[in-house]
Amino acid sequence: MQMTGAEVMVRCLEEEGVSTVFGYPGGAILPFYDALRESKVQHILVAHEQGAAHAADGFARASGKVGVCIATSGPGATNLVTGLATAFLDSIPVVAITGQVPTVMIGRDAFQEVDITGIAMPITKHNFLVKDPAHLAQTLRLAFQMAKTGRPGPVLVDVPRDVQTAIVDYVEGVLPPVPEDEPSDEVIAAAVEAISKAERPVMLIGGGVISADAEYDAMHLCEKLRIPVVSTLMGLGAISAYRSLFLGMTGLHGHERANNAVKEADLILAVGTRFNDRVTGERKTYNENKVIIHLDIDPAELDKNIFSTIGISANMNKTLQRLEAGSEPHDLSAWWQRIEGWPSMDEDFGDESAPEFFKALNPVIKDKDYIITTDVGQHQMWAAQHLRIQFARQWITSGGLGTMGFGLPAAMGAQLARPKSRVISLSGDGGFKMTGSELFTIASYKLPVTAIVFNNSGLGMIRQLQTVSFAKRFTACEFPGYVDFVKYGEAFGVKGEHVTTPEELAAAVEKAMEMDEPYIIEVTVDPKNMVLPMVVPGAGIGDYVKFTE
Amino acid sequence: MEQILSILVRNQPGVLMRVSGMFSRRGFNIDSLAVGITQNPEFSRMTVTMKADDLTIVQVCKQLEKLVEVESVKVLPPKASAKRSMVMVKVHAGEKRLELLRLADVFRAHAVDVTGESLTFLATGVDDKLNAFVEVMRPYGILEMVQTGLVALERGDTHMSVDKSRYEWPKANAAKTSVGV
């Protein structure tokens, strides 16, 4: 069948089952937009391309499907960069389609020309510049296949304007997922034996468990063996925080019990984590006197940051199932007794007031199909510490890149991916100012996202770091002016309210959940709050900063 | 320690940048690099030399294999591989023409250009030999020189090959035989 390149692009999106794309038009992508007009694929016109990239990312995190964002050449494409890097660092399947100047103009510094494939090279799994219209369909199919295969990630396809208008032959087709390796019998036997000999085992869950949809396999394994479980920031929700085996989050701002358990463990079964520095603290001492069993679909992660005793790079579901089938529980009562001597995640590390806001939300969100997205900074850490996340894909946060401004556009994507769920976006006042313009998009499409802005009139995490590392020489951490975020919402027709106490916040969120429209809640937070506990930067896990006021 | 990596990549634009970008981005240093076509126009072969311990080289290989355009990676055994690089040296000849030609003969270097003022020699071999040749030429006045990266193949019947790519790439134009860099 003959059609234009632009029509081929739209057909490919339909073939992949794409329901929603996030984008912003411009000259070089207009043929595609013209073809998209005739399609059932829903286009969400965002306020800024960064919002489109984060929304596609949030869509993917909430659904497990590939998120799609669209931008034009030049500034449209460069505005995607932060969003693509965010998805890359957290291994999220996203396909970005950008327009490019016509092929004859490439290299002439044409209007709105930028070498986006060159720019995006280190922050995408792969990217393509399609110069031959005959390659367009197969390239787009490859992009989806690569985004989903093995360790997921963003893939960018740059399509010159003349390739979009060229007439090409189109034949239907979808590329099947690339099969993953199965674990070998030897490596499973070695891991089973190591686990059976461990006196103080800990299972460490990372975001890879959620990417692989392996949360049930992980749960069955730890439940059978009664192994204590800790999670990274990215792994929260894979194991319900209400399970008795769950000790909490480990890492820089991890729970004391979780970090102590990691520190004293004689075996760590690390599943779908890359041992980021925010997880390990001082790398050289992390695996001292420990057996490390490392499961990751990406073989390059094995022995990259932490040297493993047994490294397994294979399909995660099957690996976990085979470990479960091969293992038998053994007596860990002495280890559990030791663990229960440490403060649980419900016990306070300090007497800060801000965590109370987050604790107050737990009764509201418990057992509900609510998705929580966060921005980056203090509120993100308080949420990770104090919210009790129960389900995989309920917790959406920028972990690897730590992108301020991620939360609100990601919430928009998550809400479109799961229209029956309700999305609660948590931000600080700093991050909300970065991409808060997407509240306009949320309002325009009447998405029932509840945006909570924790307003401490400044950058709390910066203040905290300047307290710890710069002897309280505060600079650039207080905003010189004030914004009324409720009034800001009003400008877009979004209702909202100010709250000052945890009880008011819980009531406001409950009220918002009864409504079927966007809502904004501004929470006044004392800027002096610290995120506690905090591991000494560069020190081993479990070595905490002592704050004295 | 010196390591020799042989890398089969897809012969398409941008692949050199992706491979070299991986090295710089992850803090690995390339000592020399040579790229060229193979018997199959779909693939190019890169030979990279670098200093790395045995743990680091494993990481380098894994990071290379992660690039979707890299089809196969092998660390070549240094003693069981045939290795050559090539140098061209343009040296001031003057009255020492015969002397230079005789010296070049010791290194089995050929004169590829002769003028009234200069001689240009081409020598092949491993780095030690080429360095020695350059040092012998130096006192006569080297006007300019150029050296290729090392190319190497494992000795014996073993060979790297790609039966099937991991991905079904769009079909390359049949006429295309140039190196995609």
Side-chain angles (χ1 to χ4, degrees):
Chain A
M1 201 193 321
Q2 292 229 312
M3 58 177 75
T4 65
E7 286 166 338
V8 168
M9 292 161 79
V10 173
R11 282 295 184 98
C12 287
L13 294 179
E14 290 167 347
E15 280 173 2
E16 298 291 338
V18 174
S19 60
T20 308
V21 298
F22 304 87
Y24 208 97
I29 192 73
L30 277 186
F32 169 80
Y33 269 88
D34 187 61
L36 190 64
R37 211 170 170 266
E38 306 300 319
S39 168
K40 281 189 184 139
V41 175
Q42 183 188 17
H43 177 265
I44 303 295
L45 178 59
V46 295
H48 185 285
E49 288 89 348
Q50 185 185 349
H54 289 324
D57 178 325
F59 185 98
R61 291 185 206 231
S63 64
K65 295 177 189 156
V66 178
V68 180
C69 55
I70 315 286
T72 192
S73 62
T78 55
N79 279 346
L80 293 177
V81 167
T82 303
L84 292 175
T86 305
F88 185 64
L89 268 284
D90 288 344
S91 309
I92 306 300
V94 167
V95 167
I97 298 173
T98 50
Q100 181 57 279
V101 301
T103 43
V104 291
M105 301 295 289
I106 289 177
R108 295 174 188 278
D109 299 325
F111 176 65
Q112 293 195 330
E113 179 188 356
V114 79
D115 172 19
I116 191 60
T117 51
I119 289 170
M121 218 170 256
I123 53 159
T124 51
K125 195 170 163 181
H126 193 66
N127 60 41
F128 301 89
L129 168 61
V130 185
K131 284 185 169 170
D132 184 345
H135 292 172
L136 186 55
Q138 184 70 0
T139 303
L140 280 162
R141 287 168 195 151
L142 264 177
F144 277 89
Q145 189 188 39
M146 283 175 184
K148 289 182 282 193
T149 290
R151 180 181 186 167
V155 179
L156 181 140
V157 185
D158 198 23
V159 189
R161 198 179 193 282
D162 57 323
V163 173
Q164 297 170 46
T165 51
I167 303 294
V168 290
D169 270 329
Y170 166 80
V171 184
E172 268 182 44
V174 179
L175 292 173
V178 178
E180 291 174 353
D181 288 343
E182 300 218 7
S184 71
D185 294 344
E186 293 75 31
V187 79
I188 292 290
V192 164
E193 199 194 336
I195 295 168
S196 74
K197 284 182 180 161
E199 289 172 11
R200 298 182 306 281
V202 167
M203 187 159 163
L204 168 61
I205 302 258
V209 174
I210 296 167
S211 297
D213 293 321
E215 65 270 19
Y216 289 103
D217 302 310
M219 184 182 77
H220 291 149
L221 176 62
C222 66
E223 285 287 355
K224 179 174 180 184
L225 301 182
R226 305 302 298 165
I227 294 183
V229 182
V230 302
S231 172
T232 68
L233 177 71
M234 293 304 298
L236 291 176
I239 299 289
S240 168
Y242 290 108
R243 287 198 173 262
S244 59
L245 296 174
F246 187 69
L247 309 185
M249 180 174 75
T250 180
L252 185 77
H253 289 297
H255 294 108
E256 204 178 353
R257 186 179 277 186
N259 278 351
N260 287 350
V262 167
K263 199 177 173 185
E264 292 206 4
D266 65 352
L267 178 139
I268 295 180
L269 174 59
V271 192
T273 173
R274 61 184 152 90
F275 290 112
N276 178 266
D277 53 280
R278 287 294 187 274
V279 169
T280 61
E282 166 52 43
R283 206 158 52 84
K284 294 200 174 75
T285 55
Y286 186 80
N287 57 355
E288 269 175 9
N289 309 316
K290 288 191 208 319
V291 171
I292 305 270
I293 303 175
H294 192 179
L295 275 57
D296 202 289
I297 192 60
D298 181 359
E301 286 307 337
L302 306 179
D303 306 333
K304 185 183 86 176
N305 290 339
I306 295 293
F307 204 77
S308 56
T309 322
I310 301 166
I312 308 177
S313 180
N315 178 281
M316 187 167 290
N317 307 75
K318 285 180 186 146
T319 306
L320 290 169
Q321 285 161 12
R322 292 197 54 195
L323 287 178
E324 189 208 336
S327 302
E328 286 303 326
H330 63 286
D331 181 23
L332 297 172
S333 53
W335 176 222
W336 273 107
Q337 216 167 4
R338 175 107 181 104
I339 287 169
E340 276 152 16
W342 295 315
S344 81
M345 59 180 173
D346 295 322
E347 286 168 62
D348 285 324
F349 200 84
D351 51 2
E352 306 295 298
S353 59
E356 301 305 321
F357 287 111
F358 297 85
K359 291 180 195 168
L361 290 177
N362 282 325
V364 183
I365 65 170
K366 192 173 184 207
D367 300 330
K368 297 281 172 51
D369 183 14
Y370 297 162
I371 298 168
I372 311 289
T373 72
T374 84
D375 226 78
V376 169
Q378 283 188 318
H379 77 279
Q380 177 190 31
M381 291 299 116
W382 285 320
Q385 291 175 333
H386 302 291
L387 289 184
R388 297 291 170 254
I389 307 297
Q390 291 173 277
F391 316 110
R393 303 192 183 280
Q394 183 186 13
W395 169 253
I396 293 177
T397 195
S398 166
L401 196 67
T403 309
M404 282 177 71
F406 170 78
L408 188 68
M412 169 167 82
Q415 187 67 75
L416 280 151
R418 282 164 54 183
K420 286 179 187 156
S421 313
R422 293 298 300 269
V423 182
I424 302 171
S425 147
L426 311 178
S427 311
D429 50 324
F432 195 85
K433 279 184 205 144
M434 287 188 173
T435 54
S437 52
E438 297 304 343
L439 192 64
F440 168 70
T441 316
I442 287 168
S444 308
Y445 289 91
K446 299 186 171 55
L447 303 175
V449 169
T450 297
I452 306 178
V453 185
F454 294 91
N455 189 352
N456 58 1
S457 311
L459 303 170
M461 193 56 98
I462 299 302
R463 192 180 188 279
Q464 176 160 349
L465 290 171
Q466 289 173 347
T467 304
V468 176
S469 306
F470 295 89
K472 296 190 182 177
R473 285 164 55 87
F474 298 124
T475 176
C477 66
E478 282 169 33
F479 288 120
Y482 171 73
V483 182
D484 184 328
F485 289 99
V486 174
K487 280 192 180 153
Y488 173 80
E490 261 175 45
F492 307 124
V494 174
K495 292 179 193 142
E497 64 186 286
H498 294 99
V499 302
T500 52
T501 68
E503 297 72 30
E504 284 171 12
L505 175 63
V509 173
E510 254 185 294
K511 187 171 98 190
M513 293 298 114
E514 298 294 316
M515 297 158 56
D516 190 27
E517 57 183 290
Y519 200 68
I520 186 162
I521 303 166
E522 180 178 342
V523 187
T524 308
V525 179
D526 180 355
K528 289 203 176 65
N529 274 283
M530 296 279 184
V531 179
L532 303 174
M534 177 183 188
V535 170
V536 178
I541 217 84
D543 190 356
Y544 297 107
V545 177
K546 304 269 187 297
F547 288 96
T548 46
E549 272 299 329
Chain B
M1 96 196 227
E2 183 81 359
Q3 309 270 7
I4 308 166
L5 285 166
S6 198
I7 312 162
L8 280 173
V9 299
R10 297 201 60 79
N11 173 14
Q12 54 197 30
V15 64
L16 176 61
M17 192 167 157
R18 274 180 233 279
V19 170
S20 60
M22 188 288 290
F23 277 87
S24 64
R25 186 160 61 90
R26 298 212 176 255
F28 306 131
N29 278 322
I30 295 176
D31 288 337
S32 88
L33 170 71
V35 197
I37 56 162
T38 65
Q39 72 277 21
N40 183 341
E42 270 188 58
F43 305 110
S44 301
R45 189 161 180 144
M46 296 187 180
T47 310
V48 168
T49 66
M50 67 181 296
K51 284 175 200 72
D53 59 35
D54 289 339
L55 289 179
T56 308
I57 202 72
V58 171
Q59 272 304 309
V60 173
C61 291
K62 287 201 244 182
Q63 293 295 343
L64 283 168
E65 283 162 354
K66 210 165 134 171
L67 300 173
V68 298
E69 290 170 315
V70 170
E71 300 285 2
S72 184
V73 181
K74 189 166 189 182
V75 181
L76 296 183
K79 293 209 172 103
S81 298
K83 302 168 283 189
R84 290 290 182 278
S85 43
M86 184 167 89
V87 66
M88 283 188 187
V89 182
K90 188 182 288 180
V91 60
H92 177 72
E95 282 132 40
K96 305 277 176 65
R97 189 171 303 269
L98 279 175
E99 189 178 326
L100 279 166
L101 283 165
R102 237 176 268 129
L103 277 174
D105 204 36
V106 175
F107 290 89
R108 295 187 195 172
H110 305 284
V112 290
D113 191 49
V114 186
T115 72
E117 291 297 314
S118 70
L119 274 167
T120 303
F121 290 112
L122 180 154
T124 57
V126 292
D127 279 359
D128 288 353
K129 174 187 160 185
L130 300 186
N131 291 343
F133 176 63
V134 170
E135 287 315 309
V136 166
M137 292 290 119
R138 196 182 291 281
Y140 297 91
I142 296 174
L143 300 172
E144 60 180 351
M145 63 172 278
V146 61
Q147 187 166 350
T148 65
L150 188 83
V151 293
L153 281 182
E154 193 172 353
R155 294 186 196 278
D157 298 328
T158 56
H159 56 276
M160 287 169 74
S161 62
V162 183
D163 297 333
K164 194 174 177 297
S165 287
R166 278 176 288 177
Y167 295 102
E168 285 176 51
W169 295 82
K171 292 272 181 297
N173 294 336
K176 186 180 164 195
T177 50
S178 61
V179 185
V181 292

